[in-house]
Amino acid sequence: MAKNLVIVESPAKAKTIEKYLGSDFRVLSSVGHIRSIVKKTKDGTPPIDVDNGFKTTYEIDPDKKKVVSELKRAVKEADQVYLATDPDREGEAIAWHLCEVLGLDPLTTKRITYHEISKAAVEQALKDVHNIDMNLVAAQQARQILDRIVGFELSPVVWQKVPGGKSAGRVQSPAVRLLVEREREINEFAGSYQFKVTATFVHDNQDVKADLPQRFDTEQEAQEFLESLTGATFSVTNVTKSPATRNPAGPFTTSTLQQDANAKLGFGSKATMSSAQKLYQEGKITYMRTDSTNLSGQAIAAAKDFISSAFGPEYSQVRQFKTKNSSAQEAHEAIRPTDMRLERGSSNEYDQKLYNLIRTRTLASQMAPAKLEKTTITIAISTGDKQFEAKGEVIVFDGFLKVYGGSKKEAEILPAMASGDQLDLITASAKQVFARPPARYSEGSLVKKLEELGIGRPSTYATIIDTVQTRGYVVKGEGEGTPRDVIVLNYDGTAVEREVTQEKTGADRGKLVPTPAGELIADFLGDHFEQVVDYDFTANVEEEFDRIAENQLARNAMLKAFYTPFHKLIEQSGGIDRSKVGASKDVGIDPKSGKPITARFGRFGPMLQLGSADDEEKPKFAPMPSGAKIETVTLEQALTAFQLPRTVGQTADGKDIKANIGRFGPYIQIDKLFVSIKPLDPHDITLEQALELYEAKLKTEAEKNISDFGDGIKVLNGRYGPYITDGKKNAKIPKDTEPKSITHEQAKQMLADAPTAKGRFARKTTTAKKTPVKKTATKKPRKK
């Protein structure tokens, strides 16, 4: 039996580490956090007792009780216990919770940390044993307690005072405010346009593209300029060549990894961190939550060796990047591969793309700069004083661009020219170009902005972005933009021709767009709880967490300084008038009924109301038309909205097909079956289209249902495999049990045997105890 027990938080990590340690070591996993703050205590004291030094009551998570029991047995059997959770505040907190639950002394229990999962790193960690850093634990507790207090005290206020309000979070709320402010900048942007002139010349049978540096404010000015080119000659007056260098960026931090993965691979922050975690646990990269750009001497030497042998010594240039964030720990490393020579980090295509991004960025950081030669040619016009400019670029030495950051678009290469050379004009054009409003945030650019403002830390960026979307305050745009006319004046050497083309504007695909609910919550918090959405205040709180971790600030002092003014605002919130929260507008009068139509905010967002609550007949409601807002919706749009639901036709067996718009978008309804019809419009969807979508939905439902016992209990095919459900509780079917062979009684027994999840685990599928598949009746379900 193994004398030493090593506890990590991930089963995949445990599997990797166990390969590096001998038979004297047993490696087990806690499967993440094992305890959380209780919802309600048994003796009635507050879960977080503010008046008693913020004393916090924890409970073992329901789905971790079996894990904890196994760990307790293993601890009793071991001579020595090592806690090897992640090297950050969350990992330190998990180690402390393990001590509390397993009866270990946090002041003497051996703690080991490492920043990569390799044999050498793990063996070195066992030599550098230390104790749990209680300052890091206190910093994690401060964040957890503060977030819990804000959520539990502020969310009920939001439910009561904000129509459709769901909840509010300490760090998520400033992120929503950022997105709302950007959206309003876009809406308030005053559009303008100019005319940009480009021309194509020919020299020695090679095309030369050039631009006019000046732009014209009117179409008439642009036309007059093009007409002035008639009969003109064009000559080179100056050729300027200048050397330039381009240096590589530093290796990845958590923030820059999320930014580049989003920009180059289209990965969201949550997906990036999930993929990076798998690569870390498999020993392929260093720890993925870091704000350091530091590389160890060993890593730098390995990179230099690989670069010199693969590309030549002239490509190698050793660099050490200084971390900008003052709170970053230089002992931590940037995200890098554990083996610089390993090109294949995963058999999974998705994970491999991220691994390749991390590897090439790390190698590039240790490579020579790229050397460029930039050329600018000035072309004079004989009939005027304006000049065209042709610009080109040649890469003299590619340096780090050999592996990372090369442009997809080839730079313009200009033919050799000298002052006095004559050029022939082929074509010239003046195109209407529009001023661009501020860009909406992508996940990557939002992470960059949060980092700039000091909001959040490496471990929280992905969670922030995921949470604001989950709560319905932000959505990822899907719009391809709307067409607009563009004037183009074309000159062929003899005459100017005008044409009108089209281009799309306002595309938001993949961008983060605040919903009306997001705008409402941002305004509400800004009006009544300014500190919750204030950028400087939120950043200052993050700095105070850092000071707690460095033992420069007492945890309870920091919590009290935040809680006292915050709780006072909560106590004063009773005076907030719900009827004044959110905009409302009288749209007009319905000509048929003579009743007023009002645009206002309802439980599920902006909506239209026909009639008054004081009328004998109940008011009718309709969702806000697509693209309309409370402030902008017209009477015509409102009247069209009240034409729904619309009967499209009937199915082959005579059932009505009704089209409508609900909280999740447009749909058709046949009996109790709802079918999404995105991106079709319920006002004009055809019967043929509706029947096609209906048939596809029936097929999907048939494939999903394995068995239906008629009393609400079903055997279904789910995303993660077959499971049993009664609509309230789910039980996963053991792998060696054939789903189709399960009887009604066996299904009931499996549901009874599955533990009842509580709190945040309530919707998770629990694994049922294996019930033998027999012809005889099973036992009655045991009482809970």
Side-chain angles (χ1 to χ4, degrees):
M1 186 173 289
K3 297 178 181 178
N4 301 292
L5 174 65
V6 178
I7 302 176
V8 297
E9 68 271 73
S10 154
K13 192 172 166 184
K15 190 176 179 182
T16 305
I17 290 175
E18 203 159 39
K19 293 188 297 185
Y20 302 139
L21 300 174
S23 57
D24 282 347
F25 286 85
R26 184 184 181 191
V27 185
L28 293 178
S29 164
S30 68
V31 198
H33 281 275
I34 57 168
R35 293 202 304 177
S36 53
I37 301 173
V38 298
K39 297 287 188 296
K40 190 176 181 181
T41 60
K42 293 178 181 178
D43 60 5
T45 57
I48 299 171
D49 195 344
V50 176
D51 297 328
N52 192 16
F54 293 90
K55 183 181 178 183
T56 306
T57 306
Y58 299 94
E59 66 177 351
I60 297 172
D61 295 332
D63 62 343
K64 295 296 175 66
K65 288 182 178 178
K66 185 178 178 182
V67 172
V68 169
S69 296
E70 291 174 356
L71 291 175
K72 282 182 176 179
R73 284 195 296 270
V75 167
K76 287 179 181 178
E77 295 168 358
D79 294 339
Q80 188 62 261
V81 177
Y82 297 90
L83 301 179
T85 47
D86 285 341
D88 58 11
R89 295 172 197 172
E90 290 295 319
E92 212 71 17
I94 292 173
W96 176 77
H97 280 291
L98 285 167
C99 286
E100 292 286 300
V101 169
L102 302 178
L104 302 170
D105 185 351
L107 299 178
T108 58
T109 301
K110 296 185 183 298
R111 170 89 167 105
I112 60 172
T113 52
Y114 38 81
H115 302 289
E116 64 179 80
I117 303 176
S118 62
K119 185 175 176 61
V122 174
E123 288 177 346
Q124 185 61 45
L126 286 168
K127 294 176 185 176
D128 300 332
V129 172
H130 54 278
N131 300 123
I132 292 173
D133 187 335
M134 291 307 296
N135 294 320
L136 294 182
V137 174
Q140 189 274 345
Q141 289 175 340
R143 178 187 293 277
Q144 187 183 34
I145 290 169
L146 213 56
D147 289 349
R148 174 67 176 261
I149 286 172
V150 171
F152 269 61
E153 294 203 3
L154 184 55
S155 291
V157 176
V158 170
W159 299 335
Q160 293 168 17
K161 303 296 183 180
V162 181
K166 292 166 188 164
S167 58
R170 184 186 59 83
V171 183
Q172 295 87 353
S173 297
V176 174
R177 177 190 165 192
L178 269 174
L179 296 169
V180 168
E181 287 179 343
R182 176 56 54 88
E183 195 67 19
R184 287 176 178 165
E185 285 176 35
I186 294 169
N187 292 336
E188 293 167 6
F189 181 75
S192 63
Y193 64 83
Q194 290 180 309
F195 284 83
K196 178 184 178 182
V197 178
T198 59
T200 302
F201 299 90
V202 67
H203 178 72
D204 285 345
N205 296 319
Q206 289 188 44
D207 286 351
V208 178
K209 293 181 179 177
D211 295 334
L212 193 73
Q214 300 89 348
R215 295 189 178 188
F216 300 104
D217 293 330
T218 67
E219 181 181 349
Q220 184 178 347
E221 288 175 326
Q223 175 142 353
E224 287 173 357
F225 171 77
L226 291 177
E227 289 172 346
S228 75
L229 300 180
T230 303
T233 58
F234 306 91
S235 58
V236 175
T237 57
N238 191 29
V239 178
T240 304
K241 292 186 177 182
S242 58
T245 58
R246 193 181 302 168
N247 288 299
F252 282 130
T253 62
T254 304
S255 167
T256 54
L257 175 63
Q258 290 178 26
Q259 291 170 43
D260 252 35
N262 187 241
K264 295 186 183 334
L265 305 177
F267 289 8
S269 295
K270 185 179 180 182
T272 298
M273 294 310 292
S274 174
S275 186
Q277 184 151 352
K278 282 187 276 183
L279 291 170
Y280 166 67
Q281 290 170 351
E282 291 166 4
K284 298 300 192 297
I285 63 170
T286 52
Y287 191 52
M288 66 285 164
R289 293 188 184 95
T290 177
D291 45 14
S292 172
T293 53
N294 188 44
L295 290 177
S296 68
Q298 184 181 1
I300 291 173
K304 180 181 179 181
D305 181 57
F306 174 79
I307 293 163
S308 298
S309 61
F311 310 119
E314 69 275 17
Y315 279 90
S316 173
Q317 181 169 321
V318 171
R319 287 185 186 83
Q320 187 61 275
F321 291 84
K322 184 69 178 174
T323 300
K324 294 178 183 177
N325 190 340
S326 60
S327 68
Q329 299 176 50
E330 293 296 339
H332 289 189
E333 279 196 76
I335 304 168
R336 63 163 176 84
T338 54
D339 182 353
M340 298 290 180
R341 294 182 175 274
L342 185 66
E343 293 184 12
R344 192 79 191 170
S346 175
S347 57
N348 178 286
E349 184 183 354
Y350 197 92
D351 298 342
Q352 175 59 29
K353 285 181 180 179
L354 192 72
Y355 175 79
N356 188 59
L357 193 72
I358 293 167
R359 179 174 178 268
T360 53
R361 172 83 167 224
T362 307
L363 290 173
S365 75
Q366 299 303 308
M367 292 178 73
K371 295 180 181 178
L372 315 170
E373 184 181 76
K374 295 186 175 183
T375 303
T376 301
I377 297 173
T378 306
I379 303 167
I381 307 165
S382 64
T383 56
D385 58 356
K386 291 183 171 58
Q387 296 177 324
F388 282 103
E389 284 186 354
K391 294 184 178 182
E393 185 178 282
V394 176
I395 297 175
V396 179
F397 174 66
D398 55 1
F400 77 92
L401 295 176
K402 185 174 278 291
V403 298
Y404 191 88
S407 175
K408 292 180 181 178
K409 185 180 179 182
E410 289 292 327
E412 190 75 24
I413 298 176
L414 300 172
M417 283 183 271
S419 292
D421 285 355
Q422 297 295 306
L423 305 179
D424 295 324
L425 177 66
I426 306 300
T427 61
S429 66
K431 182 181 179 181
Q432 188 180 24
V433 290
F434 294 86
R436 292 186 176 184
R440 288 185 175 92
Y441 288 104
S442 63
E443 289 199 16
S445 61
L446 181 60
V447 167
K448 184 178 181 181
K449 187 65 177 178
L450 291 172
E451 185 181 38
E452 286 174 3
L453 293 172
I455 296 172
R457 285 295 181 264
S459 59
T460 62
Y461 297 135
T463 305
I464 292 169
I465 291 172
D466 181 57
T467 302
V468 297
Q469 293 179 74
T470 302
R471 288 178 176 167
Y473 294 145
V474 176
V475 294
K476 264 200 184 154
E478 297 178 350
E480 299 290 356
T482 54
R484 71 177 169 197
D485 290 342
V486 178
I487 300 169
V488 182
L489 305 176
N490 294 309
Y491 174 72
D492 62 1
T494 57
V496 177
E497 287 189 5
R498 183 183 193 270
E499 69 171 323
V500 178
T501 62
Q502 283 199 327
E503 66 180 14
K504 286 189 175 180
T505 180
D508 60 13
R509 177 173 286 276
K511 303 293 186 180
L512 297 173
V513 183
T515 62
E519 293 188 32
L520 188 62
I521 194 71
D523 289 342
F524 175 78
L525 294 176
D527 291 341
H528 303 287
F529 296 91
E530 189 178 0
Q531 75 178 99
V532 176
V533 290
D534 184 79
Y535 302 136
D536 291 338
F537 184 86
T538 306
N540 185 56
V541 169
E542 293 291 349
E543 290 174 3
E544 289 181 339
F545 291 149
D546 295 338
R547 290 177 62 202
I548 293 171
E550 294 158 6
N551 198 26
Q552 295 177 3
L553 178 64
R555 186 198 79 167
N556 287 359
M558 179 265 176
L559 290 173
K560 186 176 180 181
F562 178 96
Y563 181 76
T564 302
F566 171 75
H567 186 66
K568 190 174 181 180
L569 291 174
I570 295 290
E571 290 177 326
Q572 295 170 350
S573 65
I576 299 172
D577 186 349
R578 178 186 169 94
S579 66
K580 293 182 180 178
V581 176
S584 64
K585 173 190 171 184
D586 293 328
V587 180
I589 302 296
D590 175 28
K592 288 184 179 179
S593 65
K595 293 181 178 180
I597 297 177
T598 307
R600 66 179 182 84
F601 214 93
R603 183 181 174 190
F604 301 118
M607 66 174 192
L608 297 165
Q609 178 177 318
L610 174 59
S612 168
D614 300 329
D615 296 343
E616 289 184 15
E617 186 181 359
K618 285 186 178 180
K620 292 181 180 178
F621 301 97
M624 188 65 64
S626 177
K629 294 188 173 184
I630 291 174
E631 299 85 358
T632 62
V633 64
T634 64
L635 179 60
E636 184 182 0
Q637 289 174 312
L639 293 174
T640 303
F642 279 107
Q643 292 172 3
L644 298 177
R646 163 181 163 251
T647 302
V648 180
Q650 292 186 324
T651 62
D653 53 354
K655 295 175 181 175
D656 285 341
I657 302 174
K658 293 182 179 180
N660 205 347
I661 299 176
R663 59 181 295 204
F664 301 115
Y667 66 90
I668 53 172
Q669 179 182 356
I670 303 94
D671 283 345
K672 294 182 180 180
L673 183 67
F674 294 84
V675 184
S676 172
I677 61 171
K678 284 182 181 179
L680 299 178
D681 189 325
H683 291 94
D684 53 28
I685 184 173
T686 65
L687 178 59
E688 184 181 1
Q689 290 171 323
L691 288 172
E692 187 178 339
L693 291 168
Y694 176 52
E695 291 298 327
K697 182 71 172 180
L698 289 177
K699 184 180 178 183
T700 303
E701 290 295 312
E703 291 171 353
K704 180 182 174 183
N705 283 281
I706 298 173
S707 303
D708 188 339
F709 298 110
D711 60 348
I713 297 177
K714 297 178 181 180
V715 182
L716 302 176
N717 253 323
R719 185 179 176 187
Y720 302 108
Y723 67 99
I724 300 166
T725 183
D726 60 3
K728 296 179 181 177
K729 186 178 178 183
N730 298 340
K732 200 172 181 180
I733 298 170
K735 288 182 180 179
D736 53 353
T737 299
E738 173 56 47
K740 289 182 180 179
S741 67
I742 295 172
T743 66
H744 189 196
E745 288 300 318
Q746 289 159 352
K748 288 197 287 186
Q749 184 66 49
M750 285 186 180
L751 282 169
D753 287 341
T756 301
K758 295 178 181 177
R760 63 191 179 96
F761 299 97
R763 292 185 181 180
K764 291 189 176 181
T765 303
T766 50
T767 304
K769 294 179 182 178
K770 186 180 175 185
T771 302
V773 179
K774 298 179 181 178
K775 292 183 179 179
T776 54
T778 55
K779 295 178 182 179
K780 290 182 180 179
R782 59 184 172 83
K783 293 182 179 179
K784 289 287 181 185

